[in-house]
Amino acid sequence: MIRYGVGALAILASSIGIALIVYGAGLIELDILNIPSWIFGPFGAYTLIYGILSQKDPLYYSIWGTVMLGIAFTSAFYKLINPVIILGVLIIIIVILGLIIRGKVRK
């Protein structure tokens, strides 16, 4: 398995590059409030997957991955969904994830 920092940097650079191409080509209209979704979405997904597959601090990486995905969803869908609803769902997911990973670690 690759180290977290190496993969995170690759994901972050790729995500920013894709965002620049999409906005530069005019495929999507630039909305400043959507920028965090380009950064935190892929980065959060990578962190969550790393946390699930990692033997080192799975709860830490999984929770931070979920938080980053929550920020990404809030940024991407702020016009459609109330951010407080996303925050509530995020808290429930973190609790469930914590219970699942805690059970997996104790076995």
XYZ file of all heavy atoms in Angstrom:
821
model
N 0.841 -1.183 0.000
C 0.000 0.000 0.000
C 0.887 1.248 0.000
O 1.881 1.304 0.692
C -0.913 -0.029 1.228
C -1.893 1.102 1.271
S -3.046 0.937 2.631
C -4.559 0.898 1.736
N 0.490 2.253 -0.783
C 1.274 3.479 -0.835
C 1.034 4.308 0.425
O 0.024 4.157 1.093
C 0.935 4.314 -2.086
C -0.530 4.734 -2.082
C 1.280 3.573 -3.342
C -0.888 5.683 -3.184
N 1.986 5.173 0.720
C 1.844 6.031 1.886
C 0.737 7.051 1.636
O 0.491 7.467 0.504
C 3.162 6.734 2.170
C 4.209 5.760 2.665
C 5.542 6.363 2.979
N 5.525 7.797 3.260
C 6.528 8.613 2.979
N 7.610 8.140 2.401
N 6.460 9.890 3.264
N 0.102 7.470 2.709
C -1.045 8.369 2.611
C -0.692 9.676 1.892
O -1.419 10.115 1.008
C -1.597 8.677 4.003
C -2.714 9.684 3.976
C -3.988 9.304 3.580
C -2.499 11.014 4.315
C -5.014 10.229 3.524
C -3.522 11.941 4.264
C -4.780 11.540 3.874
O -5.797 12.447 3.817
N 0.406 10.296 2.267
C 0.775 11.588 1.708
C 0.994 11.563 0.210
O 0.621 12.503 -0.505
N 1.592 10.500 -0.287
C 1.862 10.383 -1.726
C 0.553 10.303 -2.506
O 0.343 11.028 -3.483
C 2.745 9.147 -2.008
C 2.891 8.912 -3.494
C 4.094 9.286 -1.331
N -0.340 9.441 -2.064
C -1.633 9.309 -2.735
C -2.476 10.560 -2.612
O -3.147 10.974 -3.562
N -2.444 11.191 -1.436
C -3.234 12.404 -1.218
C -2.770 13.530 -2.137
O -3.589 14.250 -2.706
C -3.137 12.827 0.242
N -1.464 13.671 -2.282
C -0.934 14.703 -3.163
C -1.318 14.448 -4.618
O -1.691 15.365 -5.351
C 0.580 14.799 -3.016
C 1.267 15.928 -3.785
C 0.727 17.280 -3.353
C 2.765 15.860 -3.569
N -1.258 13.199 -5.039
C -1.638 12.852 -6.414
C -3.121 13.133 -6.657
O -3.499 13.694 -7.704
C -1.319 11.390 -6.691
N -3.969 12.766 -5.712
C -5.406 13.009 -5.843
C -5.699 14.503 -5.865
O -6.484 14.991 -6.679
C -6.175 12.323 -4.685
C -6.096 10.803 -4.800
C -7.615 12.795 -4.617
C -6.808 10.227 -6.000
N -5.072 15.239 -4.970
C -5.297 16.677 -4.892
C -4.864 17.382 -6.177
O -5.601 18.214 -6.724
C -4.554 17.249 -3.683
C -4.823 18.688 -3.322
C -6.293 18.892 -2.997
C -3.976 19.096 -2.136
N -3.681 17.056 -6.686
C -3.190 17.669 -7.918
C -4.081 17.315 -9.111
O -4.399 18.175 -9.943
C -1.747 17.244 -8.182
N -4.499 16.060 -9.184
C -5.379 15.637 -10.283
C -6.719 16.358 -10.229
O -7.251 16.797 -11.256
C -5.613 14.129 -10.217
O -4.412 13.436 -10.343
N -7.263 16.489 -9.035
C -8.551 17.146 -8.869
C -8.487 18.618 -9.269
O -9.374 19.121 -9.974
C -8.997 17.020 -7.410
O -10.174 17.737 -7.191
N -7.454 19.307 -8.845
C -7.308 20.716 -9.210
C -7.090 20.855 -10.710
O -7.661 21.744 -11.356
C -6.158 21.364 -8.407
C -6.561 21.459 -6.929
C -5.805 22.735 -8.960
C -5.442 21.883 -6.011
N -6.307 19.958 -11.304
C -6.092 19.984 -12.747
C -7.373 19.774 -13.530
O -7.648 20.492 -14.501
N -8.185 18.827 -13.109
C -9.463 18.570 -13.789
C -10.393 19.771 -13.646
O -11.058 20.165 -14.604
C -10.110 17.278 -13.254
C -9.279 16.067 -13.682
C -11.550 17.144 -13.742
C -9.682 14.765 -13.026
N -10.429 20.362 -12.450
C -11.281 21.542 -12.235
C -10.855 22.693 -13.149
O -11.697 23.380 -13.734
C -11.228 21.971 -10.778
N -9.547 22.906 -13.276
C -9.060 23.977 -14.151
C -9.439 23.730 -15.607
O -9.818 24.658 -16.331
C -7.543 24.122 -14.006
C -7.053 24.690 -12.673
C -5.533 24.604 -12.588
C -7.529 26.116 -12.487
N -9.347 22.484 -16.031
C -9.723 22.155 -17.413
C -11.220 22.358 -17.632
O -11.643 22.948 -18.630
C -9.312 20.703 -17.748
C -7.783 20.593 -17.813
C -9.948 20.249 -19.054
C -7.274 19.173 -17.881
N -12.040 21.889 -16.701
C -13.496 22.005 -16.838
C -13.932 23.467 -16.858
O -14.730 23.879 -17.713
C -14.205 21.228 -15.701
C -15.680 21.571 -15.614
C -14.024 19.724 -15.896
N -13.409 24.263 -15.919
C -13.783 25.678 -15.887
C -13.149 26.447 -17.044
O -13.771 27.346 -17.617
C -13.393 26.321 -14.555
C -14.282 25.892 -13.410
C -13.739 25.381 -12.242
C -15.664 26.005 -13.485
C -14.546 24.986 -11.189
C -16.475 25.616 -12.446
C -15.917 25.114 -11.298
O -16.719 24.724 -10.258
N -11.911 26.125 -17.392
C -11.234 26.808 -18.489
C -11.883 26.546 -19.832
O -11.927 27.427 -20.697
N -12.393 25.347 -20.032
C -13.051 25.005 -21.290
C -14.487 25.511 -21.339
O -15.140 25.421 -22.376
C -13.037 23.492 -21.490
N -14.982 26.026 -20.242
C -16.344 26.546 -20.212
C -17.408 25.479 -20.117
O -18.567 25.733 -20.435
N -17.037 24.279 -19.681
C -18.019 23.206 -19.566
C -18.999 23.454 -18.422
O -20.156 23.040 -18.488
C -17.312 21.863 -19.360
C -16.364 21.445 -20.486
C -15.617 20.179 -20.105
C -17.132 21.249 -21.769
N -18.527 24.113 -17.381
C -19.364 24.472 -16.233
C -19.088 25.934 -15.914
O -17.940 26.383 -15.966
C -19.030 23.604 -14.991
C -19.307 22.132 -15.260
C -19.819 24.063 -13.780
C -18.905 21.232 -14.112
N -20.128 26.661 -15.562
C -19.949 28.059 -15.175
C -19.286 28.125 -13.806
O -19.648 27.382 -12.885
C -21.310 28.751 -15.130
C -21.207 30.234 -14.900
C -22.572 30.901 -14.939
O -23.422 30.457 -15.724
O -22.769 31.849 -14.177
N -18.329 29.013 -13.661
C -17.581 29.137 -12.417
C -18.457 29.683 -11.303
O -19.080 30.727 -11.433
C -16.369 30.059 -12.611
C -15.505 30.306 -11.385
C -14.874 29.003 -10.907
C -14.428 31.328 -11.682
N -18.525 28.928 -10.205
C -19.210 29.348 -8.994
C -18.216 29.139 -7.855
O -17.833 28.006 -7.553
C -20.472 28.518 -8.773
C -21.271 28.967 -7.555
O -20.833 29.891 -6.846
O -22.332 28.376 -7.312
N -17.785 30.218 -7.252
C -16.747 30.159 -6.220
C -17.133 29.200 -5.089
O -16.278 28.525 -4.524
C -16.471 31.577 -5.657
C -15.914 32.483 -6.744
C -15.538 31.536 -4.473
C -14.579 32.050 -7.300
N -18.409 29.113 -4.753
C -18.840 28.244 -3.654
C -18.764 26.760 -4.009
O -18.897 25.911 -3.130
C -20.251 28.624 -3.201
C -20.369 30.020 -2.578
C -21.817 30.335 -2.250
C -19.488 30.145 -1.354
N -18.563 26.429 -5.277
C -18.392 25.031 -5.678
C -16.938 24.577 -5.667
O -16.661 23.384 -5.766
C -18.962 24.782 -7.075
C -20.459 24.838 -7.097
O -21.029 25.533 -7.906
N -21.110 24.125 -6.220
N -16.001 25.497 -5.535
C -14.574 25.162 -5.555
C -14.201 24.140 -4.466
O -13.470 23.188 -4.748
C -13.708 26.436 -5.442
C -13.969 27.366 -6.624
C -12.235 26.099 -5.310
C -13.460 26.881 -7.948
N -14.683 24.272 -3.226
C -14.311 23.270 -2.214
C -14.728 21.842 -2.577
O -14.065 20.882 -2.178
C -15.042 23.742 -0.951
C -15.189 25.208 -1.136
C -15.400 25.394 -2.618
N -15.792 21.697 -3.351
C -16.205 20.342 -3.731
C -15.180 19.681 -4.643
O -15.005 18.458 -4.610
C -17.580 20.348 -4.392
O -17.542 21.034 -5.621
N -14.477 20.466 -5.455
C -13.439 19.915 -6.324
C -12.235 19.452 -5.520
O -11.536 18.524 -5.924
C -12.983 20.956 -7.342
C -13.958 21.195 -8.430
C -14.883 22.186 -8.499
C -14.125 20.414 -9.613
N -15.613 22.077 -9.654
C -15.163 21.004 -10.356
C -13.494 19.286 -10.121
C -15.589 20.488 -11.576
C -13.916 18.784 -11.342
C -14.947 19.373 -12.054
N -11.980 20.101 -4.405
C -10.821 19.753 -3.583
C -11.183 18.662 -2.579
O -10.530 17.623 -2.496
C -10.282 21.005 -2.864
C -9.768 22.003 -3.898
C -9.196 20.635 -1.862
C -9.464 23.368 -3.349
N -12.250 18.901 -1.807
C -12.581 17.988 -0.716
C -13.273 16.712 -1.160
O -13.226 15.709 -0.452
C -13.448 18.711 0.324
C -12.697 19.718 1.125
C -12.936 21.068 0.962
C -11.743 19.316 2.036
C -12.232 22.007 1.700
C -11.036 20.243 2.780
C -11.290 21.594 2.610
N -13.926 16.712 -2.315
C -14.606 15.502 -2.788
C -13.646 14.345 -3.043
O -13.703 13.310 -2.370
N -12.746 14.496 -4.010
C -11.797 13.413 -4.275
C -10.852 13.141 -3.098
O -10.542 11.992 -2.790
C -11.007 13.907 -5.488
C -11.864 14.925 -6.118
C -12.653 15.550 -5.012
N -10.424 14.218 -2.422
C -9.524 14.072 -1.280
C -10.222 13.322 -0.138
O -9.636 12.455 0.510
C -9.066 15.466 -0.838
C -7.944 15.474 0.145
C -6.832 14.694 -0.030
C -8.004 16.286 1.264
C -5.785 14.714 0.884
C -6.979 16.322 2.178
C -5.869 15.535 1.986
N -11.481 13.645 0.102
C -12.250 12.958 1.139
C -12.508 11.499 0.792
O -12.427 10.616 1.656
N -12.824 11.233 -0.475
C -13.047 9.851 -0.898
C -11.772 9.029 -0.737
O -11.804 7.890 -0.249
C -13.529 9.815 -2.343
N -10.643 9.614 -1.127
C -9.361 8.919 -0.969
C -9.068 8.647 0.507
O -8.664 7.548 0.878
C -8.229 9.746 -1.581
C -6.857 9.210 -1.239
C -6.381 8.056 -1.850
C -6.058 9.832 -0.295
C -5.129 7.549 -1.526
C -4.811 9.336 0.031
C -4.351 8.187 -0.584
O -3.122 7.691 -0.257
N -9.292 9.648 1.351
C -9.014 9.500 2.779
C -9.922 8.448 3.399
O -9.478 7.630 4.208
C -9.177 10.848 3.500
O -8.312 11.805 2.884
C -8.827 10.738 4.968
N -11.185 8.425 3.011
C -12.120 7.429 3.533
C -11.716 6.018 3.098
O -11.681 5.095 3.918
C -13.537 7.746 3.068
C -14.630 6.784 3.522
C -14.742 6.775 5.046
C -15.953 7.181 2.895
N -11.391 5.847 1.845
C -10.969 4.529 1.347
C -9.665 4.106 2.013
O -9.506 2.953 2.422
C -10.839 4.543 -0.188
C -12.226 4.686 -0.809
C -10.144 3.292 -0.697
C -12.219 4.985 -2.287
N -8.738 5.038 2.165
C -7.482 4.738 2.846
C -7.752 4.304 4.286
O -7.142 3.361 4.782
C -6.565 5.963 2.822
C -5.201 5.707 3.418
C -4.175 5.217 2.625
C -4.937 5.949 4.762
C -2.912 4.968 3.153
C -3.688 5.712 5.296
C -2.677 5.219 4.501
O -1.443 4.981 5.027
N -8.658 4.990 4.947
C -8.990 4.642 6.329
C -9.609 3.264 6.448
O -9.314 2.520 7.389
N -10.458 2.902 5.509
C -11.100 1.587 5.556
C -10.091 0.483 5.286
O -10.114 -0.566 5.926
C -12.277 1.537 4.560
C -13.405 2.461 5.049
C -12.784 0.116 4.379
C -14.510 2.668 4.047
N -9.165 0.712 4.360
C -8.196 -0.312 3.983
C -6.946 -0.318 4.856
O -6.199 -1.291 4.858
C -7.780 -0.126 2.525
C -8.886 -0.250 1.483
C -8.348 0.021 0.094
C -9.548 -1.609 1.566
N -6.718 0.755 5.600
C -5.490 0.901 6.372
C -5.549 0.161 7.703
O -6.594 0.068 8.339
C -5.228 2.380 6.641
O -4.108 2.549 7.474
N -4.421 -0.343 8.117
C -4.304 -0.949 9.436
C -3.906 0.102 10.472
O -4.044 -0.101 11.656
C -3.252 -2.067 9.411
C -3.586 -3.206 8.468
C -4.874 -3.908 8.850
O -5.165 -4.098 10.020
N -5.656 -4.275 7.843
N -3.384 1.224 9.990
C -2.912 2.287 10.869
C -3.997 3.359 11.016
O -4.345 4.027 10.060
C -1.645 2.917 10.290
C -1.078 4.020 11.120
C 0.116 4.651 10.432
C 0.569 5.858 11.237
N 1.546 6.640 10.527
N -4.546 3.525 12.191
C -5.552 4.547 12.506
C -6.744 4.553 11.554
O -7.064 5.587 10.955
C -4.920 5.935 12.521
C -3.886 6.100 13.599
O -4.058 5.478 14.674
O -2.908 6.840 13.384
N -7.456 3.446 11.402
C -8.579 3.438 10.453
C -9.702 4.390 10.859
O -10.329 5.006 10.003
C -9.045 1.986 10.459
C -8.563 1.425 11.748
C -7.297 2.152 12.066
N -9.941 4.532 12.158
C -11.012 5.416 12.607
C -10.690 6.872 12.282
O -11.541 7.623 11.807
C -11.243 5.233 14.112
C -12.417 5.985 14.716
C -13.712 5.534 14.062
C -12.479 5.753 16.218
N -9.471 7.276 12.510
C -9.030 8.656 12.243
C -9.219 9.012 10.771
O -9.849 10.020 10.439
C -7.559 8.809 12.647
C -6.959 10.137 12.294
C -7.161 11.244 13.094
C -6.176 10.284 11.149
C -6.616 12.480 12.767
C -5.622 11.502 10.819
C -5.839 12.596 11.633
O -5.294 13.804 11.300
N -8.678 8.194 9.880
C -8.773 8.492 8.446
C -10.212 8.394 7.940
O -10.635 9.178 7.091
C -7.877 7.552 7.643
C -6.410 7.850 7.809
C -5.570 6.993 8.514
C -5.848 8.997 7.260
C -4.219 7.266 8.666
C -4.497 9.281 7.407
C -3.694 8.414 8.114
O -2.364 8.698 8.263
N -10.968 7.443 8.453
C -12.350 7.277 8.005
C -13.215 8.463 8.413
O -14.038 8.942 7.634
C -12.935 5.986 8.567
O -12.216 4.883 8.089
N -13.032 8.935 9.634
C -13.827 10.079 10.083
C -13.454 11.336 9.293
O -14.327 12.070 8.823
C -13.674 10.292 11.595
C -14.440 9.195 12.331
C -14.174 11.671 12.016
C -14.314 9.226 13.822
N -12.167 11.595 9.112
C -11.775 12.778 8.357
C -12.195 12.682 6.896
O -12.558 13.681 6.272
C -10.278 13.046 8.482
C -9.993 13.804 9.732
C -9.342 13.350 10.834
C -10.395 15.141 10.023
N -9.313 14.328 11.793
C -9.952 15.444 11.322
C -11.083 16.120 9.330
C -10.175 16.670 11.931
C -11.300 17.350 9.934
C -10.839 17.615 11.218
N -12.160 11.488 6.333
C -12.647 11.312 4.964
C -14.129 11.630 4.858
O -14.573 12.289 3.914
N -14.887 11.193 5.846
C -16.322 11.470 5.860
C -16.595 12.961 6.036
O -17.479 13.519 5.385
C -16.997 10.662 6.989
O -16.693 9.279 6.819
C -18.490 10.845 6.973
N -15.844 13.616 6.903
C -16.009 15.061 7.098
C -15.704 15.811 5.803
O -16.443 16.718 5.404
C -15.105 15.563 8.255
C -15.033 17.079 8.279
C -15.596 15.021 9.585
N -14.626 15.428 5.122
C -14.285 16.103 3.866
C -15.343 15.858 2.798
O -15.657 16.762 2.013
C -12.911 15.654 3.383
C -11.788 16.259 4.199
S -10.177 15.918 3.518
C -9.767 14.416 4.365
N -15.911 14.660 2.754
C -16.985 14.400 1.800
C -18.227 15.218 2.143
O -18.936 15.689 1.243
C -17.322 12.904 1.770
C -16.348 12.035 0.996
C -16.699 10.564 1.163
C -16.343 12.410 -0.475
N -18.485 15.407 3.425
C -19.601 16.259 3.840
C -19.407 17.698 3.391
O -20.353 18.354 2.916
N -18.194 18.198 3.517
C -17.885 19.554 3.046
C -18.063 19.634 1.530
O -18.616 20.607 1.004
C -16.448 19.954 3.450
C -16.353 20.105 4.967
C -16.018 21.236 2.756
C -14.941 20.233 5.484
N -17.622 18.607 0.827
C -17.758 18.585 -0.635
C -19.222 18.582 -1.060
O -19.616 19.325 -1.969
C -17.034 17.372 -1.211
N -20.044 17.749 -0.411
C -21.465 17.691 -0.756
C -22.163 19.014 -0.433
O -23.010 19.477 -1.192
C -22.172 16.539 -0.043
C -21.944 15.218 -0.700
C -21.319 14.192 -0.020
C -22.340 14.983 -2.004
C -21.095 12.970 -0.616
C -22.125 13.765 -2.625
C -21.498 12.754 -1.934
N -21.802 19.622 0.687
C -22.387 20.911 1.042
C -22.032 21.962 -0.002
O -22.887 22.745 -0.422
C -21.892 21.365 2.431
O -22.251 20.379 3.395
C -22.497 22.694 2.824
N -20.792 21.966 -0.425
C -20.342 22.925 -1.425
C -20.987 22.689 -2.782
O -21.330 23.632 -3.489
C -18.824 22.853 -1.549
O -18.365 23.650 -2.597
N -21.131 21.433 -3.140
C -21.670 21.109 -4.465
C -23.181 21.320 -4.561
O -23.691 21.734 -5.600
C -21.329 19.666 -4.818
N -23.902 21.043 -3.485
C -25.360 21.051 -3.542
C -26.007 22.083 -2.625
O -27.139 21.916 -2.203
C -25.893 19.658 -3.192
C -25.413 18.587 -4.115
C -24.563 17.598 -3.654
C -25.784 18.573 -5.444
C -24.103 16.603 -4.499
C -25.324 17.588 -6.301
C -24.479 16.599 -5.834
N -25.296 23.167 -2.308
C -25.831 24.145 -1.367
C -27.107 24.816 -1.873
O -27.916 25.291 -1.090
C -24.770 25.202 -1.012
C -24.485 26.197 -2.097
C -25.144 27.417 -2.137
C -23.559 25.921 -3.101
C -24.883 28.331 -3.137
C -23.294 26.828 -4.092
C -23.960 28.028 -4.104
O -23.698 28.934 -5.102
N -27.302 24.856 -3.185
C -28.516 25.460 -3.739
C -29.714 24.516 -3.666
O -30.853 24.955 -3.679
C -28.289 25.859 -5.196
C -27.336 27.003 -5.372
C -27.181 27.349 -6.833
C -26.201 28.494 -7.024
N -25.994 28.815 -8.451
N -29.445 23.208 -3.602
C -30.525 22.220 -3.626
C -30.896 21.662 -2.257
O -32.063 21.347 -2.013
C -30.118 21.045 -4.534
C -29.773 21.387 -5.978
C -29.251 20.164 -6.699
C -30.992 21.953 -6.679
N -29.909 21.504 -1.393
C -30.129 20.865 -0.094
C -29.642 21.800 1.006
O -28.560 22.377 0.905
C -29.369 19.519 0.009
C -29.817 18.566 -1.091
C -29.578 18.867 1.366
C -28.996 17.299 -1.172
N -30.427 21.903 2.051
C -30.044 22.714 3.200
C -28.768 22.134 3.824
O -28.717 20.948 4.140
C -31.189 22.705 4.215
C -30.956 23.625 5.377
O -29.840 24.071 5.628
N -32.032 23.912 6.090
N -27.723 22.934 4.021
C -26.473 22.443 4.607
C -26.639 21.825 5.992
O -25.872 20.949 6.384
C -25.585 23.685 4.671
C -26.103 24.567 3.598
C -27.583 24.315 3.558
N -27.654 22.236 6.741
C -27.893 21.656 8.067
C -28.307 20.186 7.939
O -27.920 19.349 8.760
C -28.966 22.472 8.827
C -29.303 21.844 10.156
C -28.490 23.903 9.010
N -29.039 19.849 6.900
C -29.418 18.449 6.661
C -28.172 17.621 6.368
O -28.014 16.515 6.891
C -30.438 18.349 5.508
C -31.758 19.000 5.926
C -30.650 16.890 5.088
C -32.776 19.124 4.816
N -27.282 18.151 5.549
C -26.036 17.439 5.245
C -25.214 17.259 6.512
O -24.636 16.196 6.738
C -25.239 18.175 4.153
C -26.028 18.149 2.836
C -23.862 17.544 3.967
C -25.413 18.940 1.718
N -25.178 18.274 7.374
C -24.456 18.163 8.644
C -25.053 17.063 9.518
O -24.322 16.271 10.123
C -24.482 19.504 9.385
C -23.788 19.546 10.736
C -22.300 19.263 10.581
C -24.012 20.881 11.406
N -26.367 16.971 9.588
C -27.018 15.913 10.360
C -26.697 14.526 9.833
O -26.389 13.607 10.596
N -26.760 14.370 8.518
C -26.418 13.083 7.901
C -24.949 12.749 8.164
O -24.595 11.602 8.456
C -26.736 13.105 6.390
C -26.193 11.874 5.690
C -28.227 13.232 6.164
N -24.096 13.746 8.087
C -22.669 13.561 8.342
C -22.422 13.050 9.759
O -21.646 12.116 9.960
C -21.936 14.886 8.111
C -20.445 14.927 8.388
C -19.713 14.049 7.390
C -19.942 16.350 8.310
N -23.092 13.615 10.731
C -22.927 13.169 12.125
C -23.380 11.726 12.285
O -22.698 10.914 12.932
C -23.686 14.117 13.073
C -22.987 15.478 13.109
C -23.767 13.527 14.480
C -23.756 16.551 13.837
N -24.501 11.375 11.686
C -24.993 9.992 11.774
C -24.015 9.029 11.114
O -23.713 7.959 11.660
C -26.400 9.888 11.139
C -27.407 10.659 11.989
C -26.817 8.430 10.978
C -28.747 10.846 11.328
N -23.488 9.383 9.959
C -22.527 8.522 9.264
C -21.265 8.335 10.092
O -20.728 7.229 10.188
C -22.195 9.091 7.864
C -23.396 8.958 6.941
C -20.980 8.402 7.265
C -23.239 9.672 5.620
N -20.786 9.404 10.718
C -19.575 9.303 11.544
C -19.799 8.372 12.722
O -18.941 7.550 13.050
C -19.118 10.700 12.005
C -18.529 11.468 10.825
C -18.100 10.605 13.135
C -18.196 12.897 11.123
N -20.956 8.457 13.360
C -21.258 7.572 14.492
C -21.310 6.120 14.035
O -20.697 5.241 14.653
C -22.586 7.989 15.164
C -23.054 6.931 16.140
C -22.433 9.323 15.854
N -21.996 5.849 12.953
C -22.099 4.478 12.442
C -20.734 3.963 12.013
O -20.353 2.832 12.333
C -23.110 4.408 11.276
C -24.528 4.658 11.810
C -23.037 3.067 10.561
C -25.575 4.839 10.733
N -19.974 4.787 11.319
C -18.633 4.406 10.881
C -17.736 4.110 12.081
O -16.986 3.143 12.084
C -18.051 5.531 10.023
C -16.814 5.256 9.212
C -17.085 4.134 8.222
C -16.395 6.501 8.474
N -17.831 4.949 13.093
C -17.037 4.731 14.302
C -17.377 3.418 14.987
O -16.488 2.686 15.425
N -18.654 3.098 15.066
C -19.066 1.836 15.682
C -18.596 0.632 14.876
O -18.137 -0.367 15.434
C -20.589 1.806 15.847
C -21.171 2.785 16.861
C -22.689 2.774 16.788
C -20.693 2.461 18.264
N -18.698 0.731 13.566
C -18.270 -0.378 12.705
C -16.763 -0.586 12.810
O -16.291 -1.711 12.991
C -18.691 -0.124 11.237
C -20.198 -0.234 11.095
C -17.990 -1.093 10.293
C -20.729 0.224 9.755
N -16.002 0.478 12.698
C -14.547 0.351 12.731
C -14.075 -0.037 14.120
O -13.163 -0.841 14.270
C -13.879 1.648 12.241
C -14.148 1.798 10.754
C -12.388 1.639 12.527
C -13.632 3.050 10.138
N -14.696 0.491 15.146
C -14.333 0.118 16.517
C -14.549 -1.381 16.742
O -13.746 -2.048 17.372
C -15.188 0.915 17.489
C -14.640 1.516 18.663
C -13.218 1.805 18.635
N -12.894 2.604 19.783
C -11.694 2.770 20.218
N -10.688 2.225 19.598
N -11.454 3.501 21.245
N -15.640 -1.902 16.211
C -15.910 -3.346 16.321
C -14.905 -4.166 15.547
O -14.506 -5.252 15.962
N -14.470 -3.671 14.379
C -13.505 -4.376 13.556
C -12.137 -4.389 14.216
O -11.409 -5.375 14.142
C -13.418 -3.706 12.179
C -12.550 -4.445 11.191
C -12.668 -3.876 9.803
C -11.891 -2.606 9.676
N -11.773 -2.130 8.272
N -11.769 -3.310 14.901
C -10.467 -3.218 15.535
C -10.380 -4.115 16.766
O -9.364 -4.733 17.024
C -10.152 -1.744 15.919
C -8.911 -1.648 16.774
C -10.010 -0.903 14.669
N -11.434 -4.230 17.517
C -11.426 -5.024 18.755
C -11.378 -6.515 18.504
O -10.973 -7.266 19.353
C -12.645 -4.674 19.594
C -12.518 -3.328 20.232
C -13.568 -3.135 21.261
N -13.364 -1.825 21.875
C -14.172 -1.307 22.736
N -15.245 -1.961 23.101
N -13.932 -0.130 23.245
N -11.828 -6.971 17.369
C -11.865 -8.419 17.094
C -10.491 -8.976 16.904
O -9.544 -8.450 16.591
C -12.718 -8.704 15.865
C -14.167 -8.495 16.146
C -14.985 -8.850 14.913
C -16.460 -8.618 15.205
N -17.285 -8.946 14.099
